[in-house]
Amino acid sequence: MYRLFAALPVPEDLWDDLTDLQDDLPGASWRPEENFHITLRFFGDLTHRQARDLDDLLGDIQCAPFEVSIEGAGWFGRREPSAVWARVRESDELRSLSARCEQAARRLGFEPDRRPFTPHVTLAYLHNATLEDTRRWVERHHDYRSGPFIADRFHLYSSHSAKGRPSRYEAEADYVLE
């Protein structure tokens, strides 16, 4: 079984600025910079055959490169915060690429993703973080802005868990946007 998701990689020249946001939030388990990405569609656990079929479908996606920028911060979990993140500015191109990944999943018979597409870069998962501390952290970082970058590819990543350590993500396939 493979635990897979499609995502845009975050360029390394943005890593330092994003790690500067990783401060002063009790209960935060900060993500390593090599894990920074923008999820397009999470697929979950797949067999080898499903992974191969998904790779074929994702490889057929046609999309021109487009500009991406990161602006502001937010959190998931209304009453019990579960993660904090840097917000990715939405665009028609980004939403379309995510929708095409969703279409590939449905063609393979996967259930539709019920969560709305919220483009972001996860900075930390939270464990017993208070709503007030999380709100203060988001307010401190609401004016964060990255320089724009060109999304010219996306990856099919596998996720590998290790007890007591952050998950490790590995790019299994690379899809060039042209």
Side-chain angles (χ1 to χ4, degrees), residues 80-93:
E80 293 181 31
S82 59
V84 291
W85 38 265
R87 180 185 323 278
V88 174
R89 187 182 68 201
E90 290 199 44
S91 67
D92 291 341
E93 296 89 352

Side-chain angles (χ1 to χ4, degrees), residues 2 4 23 52 63 89 110-112 129 142 152 169 175-176:
Y2 301 91
L4 300 175
D23 66 350
R52 189 180 65 239
C63 178
R89 187 182 68 201
F110 298 171
E111 289 294 315
H142 80 280
D152 62 356
Y169 304 139
Y175 310 100
V176 176

Side-chain angles (χ1 to χ4, degrees), residues 20-41:
D20 286 348
L21 301 177
Q22 295 179 315
D23 66 350
D24 196 31
L25 179 54
S29 174
W30 300 110
R31 311 317 300 156
E33 59 194 14
E34 61 270 12
N35 281 4
F36 292 161
H37 64 273
I38 303 164
T39 301
L40 299 166
R41 174 50 153 100

Side-chain angles (χ1 to χ4, degrees), residues 60-98:
D60 289 341
I61 292 175
Q62 298 292 312
C63 178
F66 57 93
E67 189 174 275
V68 176
S69 62
I70 302 171
E71 304 176 342
W75 80 86
F76 290 126
R78 291 191 190 278
R79 292 187 193 110
E80 293 181 31
S82 59
V84 291
W85 38 265
R87 180 185 323 278
V88 174
R89 187 182 68 201
E90 290 199 44
S91 67
D92 291 341
E93 296 89 352
L94 180 59
R95 189 163 289 286
S96 175
L97 182 56
S98 174

Side-chain angles (χ1 to χ4, degrees), residues 5-174:
F5 61 94
L8 294 172
V10 172
E12 288 184 28
D13 60 341
L14 297 182
W15 290 4
D16 284 345
D17 287 345
L18 288 170
T19 57
D20 286 348
L21 301 177
Q22 295 179 315
D23 66 350
D24 196 31
L25 179 54
S29 174
W30 300 110
R31 311 317 300 156
E33 59 194 14
E34 61 270 12
N35 281 4
F36 292 161
H37 64 273
I38 303 164
T39 301
L40 299 166
R41 174 50 153 100
F42 179 74
F43 302 106
D45 294 324
L46 280 68
T47 65
H48 179 73
R49 180 185 195 116
Q50 288 173 314
R52 189 180 65 239
D53 292 346
L54 177 62
D55 176 48
D56 289 342
L57 291 172
L58 294 178
D60 289 341
I61 292 175
Q62 298 292 312
C63 178
F66 57 93
E67 189 174 275
V68 176
S69 62
I70 302 171
E71 304 176 342
W75 80 86
F76 290 126
R78 291 191 190 278
R79 292 187 193 110
E80 293 181 31
S82 59
V84 291
W85 38 265
R87 180 185 323 278
V88 174
R89 187 182 68 201
E90 290 199 44
S91 67
D92 291 341
E93 296 89 352
L94 180 59
R95 189 163 289 286
S96 175
L97 182 56
S98 174
R100 290 174 186 174
C101 292
E102 176 67 28
Q103 289 170 345
R106 289 189 189 189
R107 285 186 60 192
L108 290 175
F110 298 171
E111 289 294 315
D113 191 346
R114 301 275 183 228
R115 296 166 294 184
F117 178 59
T118 305
H120 66 281
V121 177
T122 301
L123 298 175
Y125 292 115
L126 305 179
H127 310 283
N128 300 315
T130 68
L131 185 58
E132 190 54 37
D133 285 344
T134 304
R135 187 176 289 130
R136 274 196 297 270
W137 183 89
V138 169
E139 288 171 1
R140 271 197 325 276
H141 299 295
H142 80 280
D143 61 349
Y144 172 78
R145 301 288 182 267
S146 76
F149 67 92
I150 299 299
D152 62 356
R153 68 190 61 246
F154 71 101
H155 300 304
L156 181 62
Y157 287 95
S158 60
S159 176
H160 306 274
S161 297
K163 193 166 184 107
R165 294 195 321 243
S167 294
R168 181 178 52 83
Y169 304 139
E170 186 174 338
E172 300 291 344
D174 185 44

